[in-house]
Amino acid sequence: MLLPYKPQAYQLLHDGALTLAEIEGNGIQIDVEYLDKAIADTNAKIADLNKKLQKSEVVEKWKKAFGHKANLNSNEQLGKVLFEVMGFECPERTDTGRYKTDEKTLASVDHQFVKDWLEIKKLDKAVGTFLMGIRREVFDGLLHPSFNLHLAETFRSSSDSPNFQNLPVRNLEIMTLVRSAIIPRKGRRLIEIDYKGVEVAVAACYHKDPTMITYIKDKTKDMHRDMAAACYKLKVDQVTKMARYAAKNKFVFPQFYGSWYPDCAKSLWQGIDELKLETKNGVPMKQHLASQGITELGECSYKEKPAPGTFAHHIMMVEKHFWGKRFPVYAQWKRDHFERYKTTGYITTKTGFICQGYMKRNEVINYPVQGAAFHALLWALIRMQRAIKKYKMKSLLVGQIHDCVLGDVPENEDAQFCEMAQDIMVDKLMKAWKWLIVPLEIEIEKTPVDGSWNLKACEK
């Protein structure tokens, strides 16, 4: 059960619902001609790949192994064909002993059939979930996704018809394919404004760990760079941009959200090959780790500790230092916060809400952070919409994704819109919410005038 327990919390929901309704009404311009062509072209690619698969020796052996029960869409059958019939090594199994056939596992199989099979799955999702999802909801060239405030237990917003907050971002090819359908009105540009690291900043306002606060305030320090150096046994000046990215997304944020070293070690090790990691002077990362005495991943289970000298054991020690030495105040807050929940049965947020009822430990720790972080954006959206009306601007707010807002902005209002965003999203919010003890930052990306929301063409 979710309750606002302070008047300002109710007011935020009330005003936020009205503002999001106006944003929905504004609508997002869609390049329908491009969208229809993208759907047709993607379906044609899928058909060509399916024809190619049918000629593969793998399909021949698949049909021989399963006879009339052969089903090329069956992940279980695929696992048996690849790892039993074809004899490829399966790096990991499920908890029930079945062969894993997720994208990460299959990416380790060096065979053209697997590459084509993965490509079909990727394109199927792109056309079925994203492109067709948008096409079904377009009316008069506009998309009006719903933004809800009453469904997410974290007090974040949610979206449907279609889910605008679930557009692809991890795969550049698919992201470009989908976002190229989203365009500004004529003579305008799309401007995306993101809060930078807002959940880390909001979390710091709860736990008040001095090391974390220093990382946020001191621009000469870089937590993700430091953790990349620790995870991959590098000197700080040998950390590349991709190694930093790996540490940020495969160790730091997973640790903050409740993951543990077995999963982090596995993800970091796989990331070496996925991201083709190397040191800044060009030494392949596994070669570098071997020079440091680490040549294998090692045991990554929650039941047994990994052997010394393995990568898993190294990450176990990095994790121990991370919470025991680097962020001990944060670690203690998590323990205390969970104990309070077990005693009271509820948690409160900085923005005046109560979450109560059964929650897992990670949920107890993450919900107040995720909710308050989104409320920073919601507070700003309300005031940005009011300012647009007050100053009779032609700019439109057309979408939001948890910590970012998308504007459809005439070229002659570009500077005014961005200045307004900085003033409201950072300056005014910091004055209004006294509990914000660390500075907030925003990042701005703009499409060319009349250009699509294809991030490859965006300018910062």
Side-chain angles (χ1 to χ4, degrees):
M1 184 177 182
L2 308 178
L3 298 171
Y5 81 102
K6 288 187 177 179
Q8 63 264 34
Y10 170 79
Q11 198 65 47
L12 184 67
L13 280 184
H14 181 274
D15 295 344
L18 295 176
T19 297
L20 290 177
E22 292 179 355
I23 292 174
E24 293 169 16
N26 288 338
I28 302 163
Q29 189 80 26
I30 299 298
D31 186 339
V32 177
E33 183 179 349
Y34 164 82
L35 183 60
D36 288 341
K37 186 175 185 303
I39 291 170
D41 290 348
T42 306
N43 280 328
K45 285 182 183 178
I46 293 170
D48 289 343
L49 284 169
N50 273 318
K51 288 179 183 177
K52 183 179 176 182
L53 285 190
Q54 292 297 331
K55 298 176 182 178
S56 168
E57 61 169 335
V58 178
V59 170
E60 184 180 333
K61 293 183 178 181
W62 193 323
K63 291 179 178 178
K64 186 176 180 180
F66 290 96
H68 69 280
K69 293 183 179 180
N71 176 6
L72 297 188
N73 291 316
S74 168
N75 285 3
E76 185 177 355
Q77 288 187 14
L78 174 66
K80 290 184 177 180
V81 170
L82 291 178
F83 305 123
E84 290 182 9
V85 178
M86 300 294 294
F88 290 107
E89 181 181 352
C90 181
E92 192 173 358
R93 293 183 181 239
T94 66
D95 292 338
T96 60
R98 293 184 177 181
Y99 297 111
K100 271 200 170 184
T101 53
D102 61 315
E103 184 178 351
K104 278 188 177 181
T105 303
L106 293 179
S108 67
V109 178
D110 187 17
H111 194 283
Q112 190 60 46
F113 172 87
V114 177
K115 294 176 183 177
D116 291 339
W117 193 87
L118 285 172
E119 184 71 9
I120 288 172
K121 292 297 180 184
K122 180 179 71 177
L123 294 175
D124 266 335
K125 185 171 184 179
V127 71
T129 300
F130 301 120
L131 297 177
M132 287 301 299
I134 292 172
R135 190 65 182 91
R136 282 191 297 269
E137 302 294 339
V138 173
F139 181 76
D140 282 350
L142 292 175
L143 187 69
H144 300 274
S146 295
F147 298 106
N148 314 297
L149 291 178
H150 64 294
L151 297 177
E153 293 182 355
T154 60
F155 288 106
R156 276 179 158 188
S157 64
S158 64
S159 177
D160 59 73
S161 305
N163 185 350
F164 187 72
Q165 297 173 342
N166 192 40
L167 297 181
V169 292
R170 298 193 178 190
N171 184 288
L172 181 60
E173 176 190 356
I174 302 304
M175 179 181 71
T176 299
L177 178 70
V178 175
R179 289 197 177 196
S180 292
I182 298 172
I183 58 174
R185 277 104 169 144
K186 190 161 184 63
R188 296 168 169 248
R189 66 172 90 234
L190 293 174
I191 298 182
E192 179 183 341
I193 305 178
D194 293 74
Y195 274 117
K196 183 180 178 182
V198 65
E199 288 194 5
V200 173
V202 168
C205 298
Y206 282 94
H207 58 68
K208 299 181 176 64
D209 189 294
T211 306
M212 180 68 74
I213 291 172
T214 299
Y215 268 125
I216 295 170
K217 289 185 173 181
D218 188 343
K219 299 306 175 187
T220 67
K221 296 185 179 298
D222 186 334
M223 172 172 56
H224 306 307
R225 178 201 62 198
D226 290 352
M227 293 318 302
C231 289
Y232 291 120
K233 296 180 79 68
L234 295 164
K235 293 181 179 178
V236 170
D237 61 4
Q238 282 295 300
V239 174
T240 63
K241 182 178 180 180
M242 291 310 296
R244 181 187 182 278
Y245 172 88
K248 173 183 175 180
N249 293 284
K250 298 174 184 294
F251 183 84
V252 177
F253 283 140
Q255 287 286 324
F256 287 165
Y257 292 129
S259 189
W260 199 28
Y261 77 85
D263 291 330
C264 292
K266 194 184 308 177
S267 184
L268 286 164
W269 186 260
Q270 291 172 345
I272 294 174
D273 294 327
E274 291 169 6
L275 303 172
K276 299 179 173 56
L277 296 186
E278 55 185 26
T279 67
K280 193 163 275 187
N281 59 3
V283 177
M285 193 63 75
K286 285 187 177 176
Q287 182 179 324
H288 162 75
L289 287 171
S291 72
Q292 302 295 309
I294 295 176
T295 58
E296 60 178 326
L297 172 59
E299 178 66 36
C300 284
S301 73
Y302 288 88
K303 297 178 181 178
E304 298 181 24
K305 286 188 177 181
T310 63
F311 189 68
H313 185 272
H314 166 63
I315 296 302
M316 180 182 74
M317 300 308 295
V318 170
E319 177 187 80
K320 185 176 180 180
H321 184 273
F322 186 78
W323 291 114
K325 300 293 185 181
R326 194 179 295 265
F327 299 120
V329 176
Y330 190 174
Q332 187 61 48
W333 174 82
K334 291 199 296 182
R335 290 190 289 269
D336 294 343
H337 182 63
F338 187 56
E339 287 302 315
R340 281 194 297 271
Y341 162 73
K342 289 196 296 183
T343 300
T344 64
Y346 67 89
I347 56 175
T348 59
T349 73
K350 291 287 188 183
T351 46
F353 293 84
I354 291 177
C355 301
Q356 59 188 20
Y358 175 76
M359 288 178 279
K360 297 176 182 176
R361 184 178 186 277
N362 286 350
E363 293 170 341
V364 171
I365 292 165
N366 295 330
Y367 278 12
V369 174
Q370 292 177 356
F374 166 69
H375 289 154
L377 181 75
L378 186 62
W379 188 96
L381 287 176
I382 294 165
R383 284 150 185 83
M384 289 174 72
Q385 182 69 2
R386 289 173 181 170
I388 287 170
K389 291 179 180 178
K390 178 180 178 179
Y391 297 109
K392 296 181 171 54
M393 296 171 67
K394 301 295 184 183
S395 298
L396 298 170
L397 303 181
V398 296
Q400 60 86 20
I401 308 177
H402 301 316
D403 58 1
C404 82
V405 58
L406 187 66
D408 188 328
V409 181
E411 187 175 8
N412 63 355
E413 289 183 3
D414 181 336
Q416 183 183 2
F417 183 84
C418 294
E419 288 170 7
M420 175 187 70
Q422 173 68 32
D423 178 53
I424 293 173
M425 296 177 72
V426 177
D427 302 338
K428 282 188 168 59
L429 180 60
M430 291 292 296
K431 291 177 183 177
W433 287 2
K434 302 301 182 184
W435 56 265
L436 285 169
I437 60 174
V438 293
L440 297 180
E441 293 182 71
I442 58 172
E443 291 182 322
I444 300 174
E445 290 187 331
K446 308 174 184 181
T447 70
V449 174
D450 297 326
S452 73
W453 195 29
N454 168 6
L455 292 191
K456 288 194 297 185
C458 285
E459 307 165 352
K460 288 194 175 182

